[in-house]
Amino acid sequence: MKILVTGGLGYIGSHTVVELQNNGYDVLVIDNLSNSSFDVLDRIESISGIRPQYQELELRDKPAVISFFKQNSDIDAIIHFAASKAVGESVENPLLYYENNLNTLIYLLQECDAHSINSFIFSSSCTVYGEPDSLPITESAPVKKATSPYGNTKQISEEILIDVCSVSETLNTIALRYFNPIGAHNTAEIGELPKGTPQNLVPFITQTAAGIRKELSVFGDDYPTVDGSCIRDYIHVVDLANAHVVALERLLNKKNKANYEVFNIGTGRGSSVLEVVNAFEKVTNQKLNYKIVDRRPGDVVSVYADTNKANDELGWKAEKSMEDALESAWKWEKKVRGI
Ligand code: UD1
């Protein structure tokens, strides 16, 4: 089976390529290297002993996409990661986000139709829930008005998939709503390497511990939570990668119950920012420099997954702990910085 992985050199994509190869799939990676680097291919090869097929491709370039699919007529399924994901940047440059995240999805779905590719997995996000009315949050919770263009692209993408599936006789899709992916592969060959200042919590923590950032700013300690800081569901990226393999198998084995399905992919456990900081200090045995600052606009107070649907229907469950994830993130950061 040949699986096309878009954005396969990125953070979640690269971990998924490894797990796909470990499970015997042939992988074809496309990436435009906008937030990744070519040497990730070597690193994937050094973990799994197999170098995935690779082509640099700009998915916004429709003629290039059409010609790519003409040349690669043996694709059985697509896992679509390629997208922009920085919330703040999306507020500043909404058109970039709408073009990057929506046009590319449309072009890919057109090619699925043209070449009878019937299995499609989409990277969605818990951001579609906005501020939840009750926790843990289930897949049937309402989708709230998005608080950023980035979040809106995930909502619109899900709507596009629903509409396309409602008229397609052949296409089967699964949208995975990720909670907060953290950590790295235990070999420290691949991990999260944001370009510029990290926007996400864990890369900011590891870069602070590595001495690249002076201190972590904790955005708010006056929320109505255990210790006043926001709560999220942090999931190990390798667990998340494995959820894609399981979802793919569900589609390839025709076990899906509808031609559009959505699953929460989280641990089911909420942790506050300060709990993450404390856990990091504990597993790395060092103090982290941090200060409490104002709330960050757009942050929801608390969100964590109800994972029953993923556990029962998909047969997938997160296995690794937050401590494992933080330890692996630190090991990766040290390797990248030569510490
Ligand atoms: C956001 C998006 C999510 C997206 C992810 C990827 C929303 C609601 N969430 O997740 O959909 O997939 O980005 O980029 O749009 N924090 C600090 N200091 C920091 C950084 C973060 O205190 O320097 C706190 C935040 O306030 C938050 C938590 O850490 O409470 C996690 O933040 P972050 O890693 O940025 O992820 P989300 O905002 O949850």
Side-chain angles (χ1 to χ4, degrees), residues 85-87 125-127 147-148 150-151 178-181 198-202 204 216-220 230-232 234 273 296 298-300:
K85 59 145 210 161
V87 175
S125 166
C126 67
T127 193
T147 54
S148 70
Y150 159 76
Y178 311 157
F179 283 68
N180 289 55
Q199 306 300 311
N200 296 112
L201 179 62
V202 170
F204 207 104
L216 167 75
S217 295
V218 172
F219 298 134
C230 291
I231 292 186
R232 297 287 182 274
Y234 295 95
V273 176
R296 180 172 71 175
D299 270 339
V300 300

PDB file of all heavy atoms in Angstrom, residues 85-87 125-127 147-148 150-151 178-181 198-202 204 216-220 230-232 234 273 296 298-300, ligand 1:
ATOM      1  N   LYS A  85       0.168  26.604  11.024  1.00  0.00           N
ATOM      2  CA  LYS A  85      -0.485  26.334  12.314  1.00  0.00           C
ATOM      3  C   LYS A  85      -0.212  27.340  13.423  1.00  0.00           C
ATOM      4  O   LYS A  85      -0.482  27.064  14.590  1.00  0.00           O
ATOM      5  CB  LYS A  85      -0.113  24.940  12.785  1.00  0.00           C
ATOM      6  CG  LYS A  85       1.374  24.723  12.955  1.00  0.00           C
ATOM      7  CD  LYS A  85       1.685  23.799  14.103  1.00  0.00           C
ATOM      8  CE  LYS A  85       3.012  24.142  14.723  1.00  0.00           C
ATOM      9  NZ  LYS A  85       3.228  23.636  16.045  1.00  0.00           N
ATOM     10  N   ALA A  86       0.330  28.509  13.054  1.00  0.00           N
ATOM     11  CA  ALA A  86       0.602  29.479  14.117  1.00  0.00           C
ATOM     12  C   ALA A  86      -0.593  30.427  14.257  1.00  0.00           C
ATOM     13  O   ALA A  86      -0.928  31.178  13.333  1.00  0.00           O
ATOM     14  CB  ALA A  86       1.877  30.241  13.810  1.00  0.00           C
ATOM     15  N   VAL A  87      -1.214  30.374  15.438  1.00  0.00           N
ATOM     16  CA  VAL A  87      -2.443  31.133  15.662  1.00  0.00           C
ATOM     17  C   VAL A  87      -2.207  32.635  15.452  1.00  0.00           C
ATOM     18  O   VAL A  87      -2.946  33.302  14.718  1.00  0.00           O
ATOM     19  CB  VAL A  87      -2.970  30.852  17.093  1.00  0.00           C
ATOM     20  CG1 VAL A  87      -4.171  31.719  17.403  1.00  0.00           C
ATOM     21  CG2 VAL A  87      -3.316  29.374  17.250  1.00  0.00           C
ATOM     22  N   SER A 125      -8.254  19.824  14.671  1.00  0.00           N
ATOM     23  CA  SER A 125      -7.735  20.324  15.950  1.00  0.00           C
ATOM     24  C   SER A 125      -8.868  20.531  16.943  1.00  0.00           C
ATOM     25  O   SER A 125      -9.996  20.861  16.557  1.00  0.00           O
ATOM     26  CB  SER A 125      -7.041  21.662  15.680  1.00  0.00           C
ATOM     27  OG  SER A 125      -6.814  22.345  16.883  1.00  0.00           O
ATOM     28  N   CYS A 126      -8.525  20.419  18.219  1.00  0.00           N
ATOM     29  CA  CYS A 126      -9.513  20.706  19.265  1.00  0.00           C
ATOM     30  C   CYS A 126      -9.889  22.185  19.254  1.00  0.00           C
ATOM     31  O   CYS A 126     -10.831  22.578  19.932  1.00  0.00           O
ATOM     32  CB  CYS A 126      -8.979  20.307  20.633  1.00  0.00           C
ATOM     33  SG  CYS A 126      -7.605  21.319  21.172  1.00  0.00           S
ATOM     34  N   THR A 127      -9.159  22.972  18.486  1.00  0.00           N
ATOM     35  CA  THR A 127      -9.485  24.397  18.393  1.00  0.00           C
ATOM     36  C   THR A 127     -10.911  24.590  17.864  1.00  0.00           C
ATOM     37  O   THR A 127     -11.539  25.612  18.129  1.00  0.00           O
ATOM     38  CB  THR A 127      -8.452  25.146  17.517  1.00  0.00           C
ATOM     39  OG1 THR A 127      -8.620  26.542  17.708  1.00  0.00           O
ATOM     40  CG2 THR A 127      -8.588  24.824  16.050  1.00  0.00           C
ATOM     41  N   THR A 147     -11.771  31.517  16.991  1.00  0.00           N
ATOM     42  CA  THR A 147     -11.179  32.737  17.541  1.00  0.00           C
ATOM     43  C   THR A 147      -9.974  33.203  16.719  1.00  0.00           C
ATOM     44  O   THR A 147      -9.377  34.218  17.029  1.00  0.00           O
ATOM     45  CB  THR A 147     -10.739  32.523  19.003  1.00  0.00           C
ATOM     46  OG1 THR A 147      -9.871  31.382  19.023  1.00  0.00           O
ATOM     47  CG2 THR A 147     -11.925  32.290  19.919  1.00  0.00           C
ATOM     48  N   SER A 148      -9.608  32.467  15.692  1.00  0.00           N
ATOM     49  CA  SER A 148      -8.501  32.916  14.835  1.00  0.00           C
ATOM     50  C   SER A 148      -8.727  32.382  13.428  1.00  0.00           C
ATOM     51  O   SER A 148      -9.416  31.375  13.245  1.00  0.00           O
ATOM     52  CB  SER A 148      -7.159  32.390  15.364  1.00  0.00           C
ATOM     53  OG  SER A 148      -7.078  30.991  15.164  1.00  0.00           O
ATOM     54  N   TYR A 150      -6.631  30.759  11.758  1.00  0.00           N
ATOM     55  CA  TYR A 150      -6.127  29.378  11.784  1.00  0.00           C
ATOM     56  C   TYR A 150      -7.250  28.419  12.198  1.00  0.00           C
ATOM     57  O   TYR A 150      -7.534  27.423  11.534  1.00  0.00           O
ATOM     58  CB  TYR A 150      -4.936  29.247  12.758  1.00  0.00           C
ATOM     59  CG  TYR A 150      -4.718  27.823  13.213  1.00  0.00           C
ATOM     60  CD1 TYR A 150      -4.135  26.907  12.360  1.00  0.00           C
ATOM     61  CD2 TYR A 150      -5.143  27.393  14.475  1.00  0.00           C
ATOM     62  CE1 TYR A 150      -3.977  25.573  12.756  1.00  0.00           C
ATOM     63  CE2 TYR A 150      -4.984  26.080  14.874  1.00  0.00           C
ATOM     64  CZ  TYR A 150      -4.405  25.179  14.016  1.00  0.00           C
ATOM     65  OH  TYR A 150      -4.265  23.878  14.400  1.00  0.00           O
ATOM     66  N   GLY A 151      -7.905  28.733  13.330  1.00  0.00           N
ATOM     67  CA  GLY A 151      -8.992  27.880  13.822  1.00  0.00           C
ATOM     68  C   GLY A 151     -10.107  27.787  12.793  1.00  0.00           C
ATOM     69  O   GLY A 151     -10.693  26.718  12.582  1.00  0.00           O
ATOM     70  N   TYR A 178      -6.761  16.828  16.960  1.00  0.00           N
ATOM     71  CA  TYR A 178      -5.633  16.706  17.885  1.00  0.00           C
ATOM     72  C   TYR A 178      -5.823  17.654  19.058  1.00  0.00           C
ATOM     73  O   TYR A 178      -6.204  18.802  18.877  1.00  0.00           O
ATOM     74  CB  TYR A 178      -4.308  17.129  17.238  1.00  0.00           C
ATOM     75  CG  TYR A 178      -3.965  16.551  15.897  1.00  0.00           C
ATOM     76  CD1 TYR A 178      -3.067  17.235  15.079  1.00  0.00           C
ATOM     77  CD2 TYR A 178      -4.473  15.346  15.455  1.00  0.00           C
ATOM     78  CE1 TYR A 178      -2.696  16.737  13.848  1.00  0.00           C
ATOM     79  CE2 TYR A 178      -4.110  14.832  14.225  1.00  0.00           C
ATOM     80  CZ  TYR A 178      -3.228  15.539  13.415  1.00  0.00           C
ATOM     81  OH  TYR A 178      -2.867  15.057  12.198  1.00  0.00           O
ATOM     82  N   PHE A 179      -5.418  17.185  20.227  1.00  0.00           N
ATOM     83  CA  PHE A 179      -5.285  18.097  21.359  1.00  0.00           C
ATOM     84  C   PHE A 179      -3.849  18.658  21.291  1.00  0.00           C
ATOM     85  O   PHE A 179      -3.432  19.052  20.220  1.00  0.00           O
ATOM     86  CB  PHE A 179      -5.757  17.392  22.645  1.00  0.00           C
ATOM     87  CG  PHE A 179      -7.280  17.367  22.657  1.00  0.00           C
ATOM     88  CD1 PHE A 179      -7.993  16.597  21.731  1.00  0.00           C
ATOM     89  CD2 PHE A 179      -8.005  18.191  23.493  1.00  0.00           C
ATOM     90  CE1 PHE A 179      -9.395  16.645  21.649  1.00  0.00           C
ATOM     91  CE2 PHE A 179      -9.407  18.239  23.441  1.00  0.00           C
ATOM     92  CZ  PHE A 179     -10.097  17.471  22.513  1.00  0.00           C
ATOM     93  N   ASN A 180      -3.094  18.741  22.353  1.00  0.00           N
ATOM     94  CA  ASN A 180      -1.792  19.429  22.234  1.00  0.00           C
ATOM     95  C   ASN A 180      -0.630  18.438  22.108  1.00  0.00           C
ATOM     96  O   ASN A 180      -0.208  17.860  23.118  1.00  0.00           O
ATOM     97  CB  ASN A 180      -1.570  20.333  23.454  1.00  0.00           C
ATOM     98  CG  ASN A 180      -2.483  21.545  23.437  1.00  0.00           C
ATOM     99  OD1 ASN A 180      -3.693  21.406  23.348  1.00  0.00           O
ATOM    100  ND2 ASN A 180      -1.907  22.723  23.507  1.00  0.00           N
ATOM    101  N   PRO A 181      -0.111  18.242  20.894  1.00  0.00           N
ATOM    102  CA  PRO A 181       0.984  17.289  20.708  1.00  0.00           C
ATOM    103  C   PRO A 181       2.300  17.840  21.270  1.00  0.00           C
ATOM    104  O   PRO A 181       2.643  19.014  21.027  1.00  0.00           O
ATOM    105  CB  PRO A 181       1.109  17.149  19.179  1.00  0.00           C
ATOM    106  CG  PRO A 181       0.045  18.010  18.589  1.00  0.00           C
ATOM    107  CD  PRO A 181      -0.502  18.890  19.635  1.00  0.00           C
ATOM    108  N   PRO A 198       9.472  30.145  19.523  1.00  0.00           N
ATOM    109  CA  PRO A 198       8.375  29.180  19.631  1.00  0.00           C
ATOM    110  C   PRO A 198       7.103  29.848  20.156  1.00  0.00           C
ATOM    111  O   PRO A 198       7.164  30.686  21.064  1.00  0.00           O
ATOM    112  CB  PRO A 198       8.884  28.168  20.664  1.00  0.00           C
ATOM    113  CG  PRO A 198      10.322  28.424  20.830  1.00  0.00           C
ATOM    114  CD  PRO A 198      10.599  29.828  20.406  1.00  0.00           C
ATOM    115  N   GLN A 199       5.973  29.461  19.579  1.00  0.00           N
ATOM    116  CA  GLN A 199       4.677  29.971  20.045  1.00  0.00           C
ATOM    117  C   GLN A 199       4.062  28.989  21.028  1.00  0.00           C
ATOM    118  O   GLN A 199       3.226  29.361  21.840  1.00  0.00           O
ATOM    119  CB  GLN A 199       3.715  30.152  18.856  1.00  0.00           C
ATOM    120  CG  GLN A 199       4.257  31.018  17.733  1.00  0.00           C
ATOM    121  CD  GLN A 199       4.576  32.421  18.191  1.00  0.00           C
ATOM    122  OE1 GLN A 199       3.757  33.066  18.831  1.00  0.00           O
ATOM    123  NE2 GLN A 199       5.775  32.890  17.889  1.00  0.00           N
ATOM    124  N   ASN A 200       4.459  27.728  20.930  1.00  0.00           N
ATOM    125  CA  ASN A 200       3.840  26.688  21.755  1.00  0.00           C
ATOM    126  C   ASN A 200       4.628  26.478  23.042  1.00  0.00           C
ATOM    127  O   ASN A 200       5.823  26.757  23.122  1.00  0.00           O
ATOM    128  CB  ASN A 200       3.728  25.377  20.971  1.00  0.00           C
ATOM    129  CG  ASN A 200       2.799  25.519  19.777  1.00  0.00           C
ATOM    130  OD1 ASN A 200       3.233  25.467  18.641  1.00  0.00           O
ATOM    131  ND2 ASN A 200       1.531  25.737  20.034  1.00  0.00           N
ATOM    132  N   LEU A 201       3.931  25.964  24.026  1.00  0.00           N
ATOM    133  CA  LEU A 201       4.489  25.897  25.381  1.00  0.00           C
ATOM    134  C   LEU A 201       5.762  25.053  25.490  1.00  0.00           C
ATOM    135  O   LEU A 201       6.782  25.529  26.004  1.00  0.00           O
ATOM    136  CB  LEU A 201       3.409  25.349  26.333  1.00  0.00           C
ATOM    137  CG  LEU A 201       3.841  25.189  27.789  1.00  0.00           C
ATOM    138  CD1 LEU A 201       4.214  26.539  28.393  1.00  0.00           C
ATOM    139  CD2 LEU A 201       2.729  24.521  28.608  1.00  0.00           C
ATOM    140  N   VAL A 202       5.706  23.797  25.026  1.00  0.00           N
ATOM    141  CA  VAL A 202       6.828  22.899  25.337  1.00  0.00           C
ATOM    142  C   VAL A 202       8.130  23.291  24.613  1.00  0.00           C
ATOM    143  O   VAL A 202       9.192  23.329  25.247  1.00  0.00           O
ATOM    144  CB  VAL A 202       6.424  21.424  25.141  1.00  0.00           C
ATOM    145  CG1 VAL A 202       7.631  20.499  25.231  1.00  0.00           C
ATOM    146  CG2 VAL A 202       5.395  21.053  26.230  1.00  0.00           C
ATOM    147  N   PHE A 204       8.982  26.228  23.939  1.00  0.00           N
ATOM    148  CA  PHE A 204       9.465  27.408  24.657  1.00  0.00           C
ATOM    149  C   PHE A 204      10.146  26.977  25.956  1.00  0.00           C
ATOM    150  O   PHE A 204      11.209  27.506  26.332  1.00  0.00           O
ATOM    151  CB  PHE A 204       8.331  28.414  24.934  1.00  0.00           C
ATOM    152  CG  PHE A 204       8.854  29.820  25.043  1.00  0.00           C
ATOM    153  CD1 PHE A 204       8.677  30.721  24.008  1.00  0.00           C
ATOM    154  CD2 PHE A 204       9.569  30.223  26.157  1.00  0.00           C
ATOM    155  CE1 PHE A 204       9.209  31.998  24.080  1.00  0.00           C
ATOM    156  CE2 PHE A 204      10.105  31.506  26.245  1.00  0.00           C
ATOM    157  CZ  PHE A 204       9.917  32.395  25.204  1.00  0.00           C
ATOM    158  N   LEU A 216      10.554  31.683  30.468  1.00  0.00           N
ATOM    159  CA  LEU A 216       9.223  31.361  29.947  1.00  0.00           C
ATOM    160  C   LEU A 216       8.226  32.340  30.548  1.00  0.00           C
ATOM    161  O   LEU A 216       8.292  32.636  31.736  1.00  0.00           O
ATOM    162  CB  LEU A 216       8.838  29.931  30.383  1.00  0.00           C
ATOM    163  CG  LEU A 216       7.366  29.556  30.178  1.00  0.00           C
ATOM    164  CD1 LEU A 216       7.075  29.287  28.708  1.00  0.00           C
ATOM    165  CD2 LEU A 216       7.001  28.328  31.023  1.00  0.00           C
ATOM    166  N   SER A 217       7.338  32.865  29.716  1.00  0.00           N
ATOM    167  CA  SER A 217       6.214  33.644  30.240  1.00  0.00           C
ATOM    168  C   SER A 217       5.024  32.710  30.374  1.00  0.00           C
ATOM    169  O   SER A 217       4.611  32.085  29.395  1.00  0.00           O
ATOM    170  CB  SER A 217       5.834  34.770  29.271  1.00  0.00           C
ATOM    171  OG  SER A 217       6.882  35.691  29.166  1.00  0.00           O
ATOM    172  N   VAL A 218       4.498  32.603  31.579  1.00  0.00           N
ATOM    173  CA  VAL A 218       3.273  31.820  31.787  1.00  0.00           C
ATOM    174  C   VAL A 218       2.109  32.791  31.619  1.00  0.00           C
ATOM    175  O   VAL A 218       1.993  33.778  32.356  1.00  0.00           O
ATOM    176  CB  VAL A 218       3.262  31.174  33.192  1.00  0.00           C
ATOM    177  CG1 VAL A 218       1.917  30.527  33.487  1.00  0.00           C
ATOM    178  CG2 VAL A 218       4.394  30.156  33.306  1.00  0.00           C
ATOM    179  N   PHE A 219       1.273  32.510  30.612  1.00  0.00           N
ATOM    180  CA  PHE A 219       0.217  33.466  30.261  1.00  0.00           C
ATOM    181  C   PHE A 219      -0.986  33.347  31.181  1.00  0.00           C
ATOM    182  O   PHE A 219      -1.961  32.686  30.863  1.00  0.00           O
ATOM    183  CB  PHE A 219      -0.207  33.253  28.798  1.00  0.00           C
ATOM    184  CG  PHE A 219       0.896  33.495  27.800  1.00  0.00           C
ATOM    185  CD1 PHE A 219       1.119  32.591  26.754  1.00  0.00           C
ATOM    186  CD2 PHE A 219       1.721  34.609  27.879  1.00  0.00           C
ATOM    187  CE1 PHE A 219       2.121  32.798  25.818  1.00  0.00           C
ATOM    188  CE2 PHE A 219       2.733  34.821  26.947  1.00  0.00           C
ATOM    189  CZ  PHE A 219       2.942  33.918  25.925  1.00  0.00           C
ATOM    190  N   GLY A 220      -0.910  34.001  32.318  1.00  0.00           N
ATOM    191  CA  GLY A 220      -2.054  34.108  33.218  1.00  0.00           C
ATOM    192  C   GLY A 220      -2.046  33.088  34.336  1.00  0.00           C
ATOM    193  O   GLY A 220      -1.804  31.906  34.093  1.00  0.00           O
ATOM    194  N   CYS A 230      -3.923  27.955  32.540  1.00  0.00           N
ATOM    195  CA  CYS A 230      -4.828  27.255  31.599  1.00  0.00           C
ATOM    196  C   CYS A 230      -4.581  25.755  31.576  1.00  0.00           C
ATOM    197  O   CYS A 230      -3.451  25.302  31.800  1.00  0.00           O
ATOM    198  CB  CYS A 230      -4.586  27.743  30.175  1.00  0.00           C
ATOM    199  SG  CYS A 230      -5.099  29.400  29.879  1.00  0.00           S
ATOM    200  N   ILE A 231      -5.609  25.035  31.231  1.00  0.00           N
ATOM    201  CA  ILE A 231      -5.518  23.567  31.185  1.00  0.00           C
ATOM    202  C   ILE A 231      -5.655  23.052  29.751  1.00  0.00           C
ATOM    203  O   ILE A 231      -6.530  23.495  28.999  1.00  0.00           O
ATOM    204  CB  ILE A 231      -6.592  22.965  32.099  1.00  0.00           C
ATOM    205  CG1 ILE A 231      -6.211  23.320  33.535  1.00  0.00           C
ATOM    206  CG2 ILE A 231      -6.738  21.456  31.898  1.00  0.00           C
ATOM    207  CD1 ILE A 231      -7.025  22.722  34.611  1.00  0.00           C
ATOM    208  N   ARG A 232      -4.742  22.139  29.393  1.00  0.00           N
ATOM    209  CA  ARG A 232      -4.767  21.515  28.063  1.00  0.00           C
ATOM    210  C   ARG A 232      -4.524  20.013  28.214  1.00  0.00           C
ATOM    211  O   ARG A 232      -4.044  19.551  29.251  1.00  0.00           O
ATOM    212  CB  ARG A 232      -3.633  22.069  27.171  1.00  0.00           C
ATOM    213  CG  ARG A 232      -3.721  23.547  26.861  1.00  0.00           C
ATOM    214  CD  ARG A 232      -4.817  23.861  25.865  1.00  0.00           C
ATOM    215  NE  ARG A 232      -4.848  25.277  25.542  1.00  0.00           N
ATOM    216  CZ  ARG A 232      -5.510  26.201  26.253  1.00  0.00           C
ATOM    217  NH1 ARG A 232      -6.182  25.867  27.350  1.00  0.00           N
ATOM    218  NH2 ARG A 232      -5.498  27.464  25.881  1.00  0.00           N
ATOM    219  N   TYR A 234      -2.191  17.340  26.884  1.00  0.00           N
ATOM    220  CA  TYR A 234      -0.908  17.193  26.178  1.00  0.00           C
ATOM    221  C   TYR A 234      -0.695  15.734  25.807  1.00  0.00           C
ATOM    222  O   TYR A 234      -0.657  14.870  26.675  1.00  0.00           O
ATOM    223  CB  TYR A 234       0.238  17.699  27.064  1.00  0.00           C
ATOM    224  CG  TYR A 234       0.123  19.187  27.315  1.00  0.00           C
ATOM    225  CD1 TYR A 234      -0.511  19.676  28.462  1.00  0.00           C
ATOM    226  CD2 TYR A 234       0.608  20.109  26.392  1.00  0.00           C
ATOM    227  CE1 TYR A 234      -0.646  21.047  28.684  1.00  0.00           C
ATOM    228  CE2 TYR A 234       0.473  21.476  26.604  1.00  0.00           C
ATOM    229  CZ  TYR A 234      -0.151  21.934  27.748  1.00  0.00           C
ATOM    230  OH  TYR A 234      -0.290  23.279  27.953  1.00  0.00           O
ATOM    231  N   VAL A 273      -0.681  24.738  32.878  1.00  0.00           N
ATOM    232  CA  VAL A 273       0.648  25.179  32.426  1.00  0.00           C
ATOM    233  C   VAL A 273       1.665  24.990  33.560  1.00  0.00           C
ATOM    234  O   VAL A 273       2.782  24.491  33.339  1.00  0.00           O
ATOM    235  CB  VAL A 273       0.616  26.665  31.976  1.00  0.00           C
ATOM    236  CG1 VAL A 273       2.009  27.148  31.596  1.00  0.00           C
ATOM    237  CG2 VAL A 273      -0.351  26.854  30.804  1.00  0.00           C
ATOM    238  N   ARG A 296      -2.866  35.512  27.546  1.00  0.00           N
ATOM    239  CA  ARG A 296      -2.655  35.669  26.101  1.00  0.00           C
ATOM    240  C   ARG A 296      -4.033  35.753  25.435  1.00  0.00           C
ATOM    241  O   ARG A 296      -4.862  34.864  25.644  1.00  0.00           O
ATOM    242  CB  ARG A 296      -1.882  34.452  25.571  1.00  0.00           C
ATOM    243  CG  ARG A 296      -1.590  34.497  24.088  1.00  0.00           C
ATOM    244  CD  ARG A 296      -0.653  33.366  23.668  1.00  0.00           C
ATOM    245  NE  ARG A 296      -1.284  32.050  23.705  1.00  0.00           N
ATOM    246  CZ  ARG A 296      -0.696  30.918  23.293  1.00  0.00           C
ATOM    247  NH1 ARG A 296       0.544  30.954  22.825  1.00  0.00           N
ATOM    248  NH2 ARG A 296      -1.320  29.769  23.357  1.00  0.00           N
ATOM    249  N   GLY A 298      -7.143  35.229  23.248  1.00  0.00           N
ATOM    250  CA  GLY A 298      -7.569  34.090  22.426  1.00  0.00           C
ATOM    251  C   GLY A 298      -7.438  32.735  23.104  1.00  0.00           C
ATOM    252  O   GLY A 298      -7.955  31.742  22.593  1.00  0.00           O
ATOM    253  N   ASP A 299      -6.728  32.668  24.246  1.00  0.00           N
ATOM    254  CA  ASP A 299      -6.590  31.362  24.922  1.00  0.00           C
ATOM    255  C   ASP A 299      -7.916  30.943  25.557  1.00  0.00           C
ATOM    256  O   ASP A 299      -8.576  31.759  26.195  1.00  0.00           O
ATOM    257  CB  ASP A 299      -5.535  31.438  26.043  1.00  0.00           C
ATOM    258  CG  ASP A 299      -4.147  31.087  25.542  1.00  0.00           C
ATOM    259  OD1 ASP A 299      -4.037  30.423  24.499  1.00  0.00           O
ATOM    260  OD2 ASP A 299      -3.165  31.490  26.202  1.00  0.00           O
ATOM    261  N   VAL A 300      -8.265  29.664  25.393  1.00  0.00           N
ATOM    262  CA  VAL A 300      -9.413  29.156  26.150  1.00  0.00           C
ATOM    263  C   VAL A 300      -8.915  28.733  27.528  1.00  0.00           C
ATOM    264  O   VAL A 300      -7.722  28.476  27.717  1.00  0.00           O
ATOM    265  CB  VAL A 300     -10.118  27.983  25.426  1.00  0.00           C
ATOM    266  CG1 VAL A 300     -10.638  28.408  24.071  1.00  0.00           C
ATOM    267  CG2 VAL A 300      -9.209  26.772  25.300  1.00  0.00           C
TER     268      VAL A 300
HETATM  269  C1  UD1 B   1      -2.920  26.332  19.813  1.00  0.00           C
HETATM  270  C2  UD1 B   1      -4.235  26.113  19.144  1.00  0.00           C
HETATM  271  C3  UD1 B   1      -4.277  24.716  18.611  1.00  0.00           C
HETATM  272  C4  UD1 B   1      -3.153  24.527  17.658  1.00  0.00           C
HETATM  273  C5  UD1 B   1      -1.848  24.762  18.374  1.00  0.00           C
HETATM  274  C6  UD1 B   1      -0.735  24.624  17.361  1.00  0.00           C
HETATM  275  C7  UD1 B   1      -6.197  27.280  19.928  1.00  0.00           C
HETATM  276  C8  UD1 B   1      -7.197  27.413  21.025  1.00  0.00           C
HETATM  277  N1  UD1 B   1      -5.284  26.322  20.107  1.00  0.00           N
HETATM  278  O1  UD1 B   1      -2.933  25.495  20.971  1.00  0.00           O
HETATM  279  O2  UD1 B   1      -5.471  24.498  17.922  1.00  0.00           O
HETATM  280  O3  UD1 B   1      -3.194  23.254  17.098  1.00  0.00           O
HETATM  281  O4  UD1 B   1      -1.872  26.063  18.942  1.00  0.00           O
HETATM  282  O5  UD1 B   1       0.057  25.699  17.247  1.00  0.00           O
HETATM  283  O6  UD1 B   1      -6.231  27.969  18.950  1.00  0.00           O
HETATM  284  N2  UD1 B   1       1.631  29.084  27.122  1.00  0.00           N
HETATM  285  C9  UD1 B   1       2.351  29.836  28.026  1.00  0.00           C
HETATM  286  N3  UD1 B   1       3.528  30.386  27.618  1.00  0.00           N
HETATM  287  C10 UD1 B   1       4.032  30.211  26.356  1.00  0.00           C
HETATM  288  C11 UD1 B   1       3.280  29.436  25.427  1.00  0.00           C
HETATM  289  C12 UD1 B   1       2.074  28.892  25.850  1.00  0.00           C
HETATM  290  O7  UD1 B   1       1.932  30.022  29.165  1.00  0.00           O
HETATM  291  O8  UD1 B   1       5.091  30.755  26.047  1.00  0.00           O
HETATM  292  C13 UD1 B   1       0.375  28.464  27.550  1.00  0.00           C
HETATM  293  C14 UD1 B   1      -0.853  28.934  26.763  1.00  0.00           C
HETATM  294  O9  UD1 B   1      -1.416  30.064  27.330  1.00  0.00           O
HETATM  295  C15 UD1 B   1      -1.740  27.697  26.840  1.00  0.00           C
HETATM  296  C16 UD1 B   1      -0.758  26.523  26.926  1.00  0.00           C
HETATM  297  O10 UD1 B   1       0.477  27.086  27.317  1.00  0.00           O
HETATM  298  O11 UD1 B   1      -2.475  27.730  28.018  1.00  0.00           O
HETATM  299  C17 UD1 B   1      -0.576  25.814  25.599  1.00  0.00           C
HETATM  300  O12 UD1 B   1      -0.295  26.786  24.608  1.00  0.00           O
HETATM  301  P1  UD1 B   1       0.170  26.380  23.140  1.00  0.00           P
HETATM  302  O13 UD1 B   1       1.269  25.401  23.211  1.00  0.00           O
HETATM  303  O14 UD1 B   1       0.421  27.654  22.390  1.00  0.00           O
HETATM  304  O15 UD1 B   1      -1.079  25.612  22.531  1.00  0.00           O
HETATM  305  P2  UD1 B   1      -2.617  26.063  22.417  1.00  0.00           P
HETATM  306  O16 UD1 B   1      -2.787  27.509  22.443  1.00  0.00           O
HETATM  307  O17 UD1 B   1      -3.382  25.246  23.400  1.00  0.00           O
END
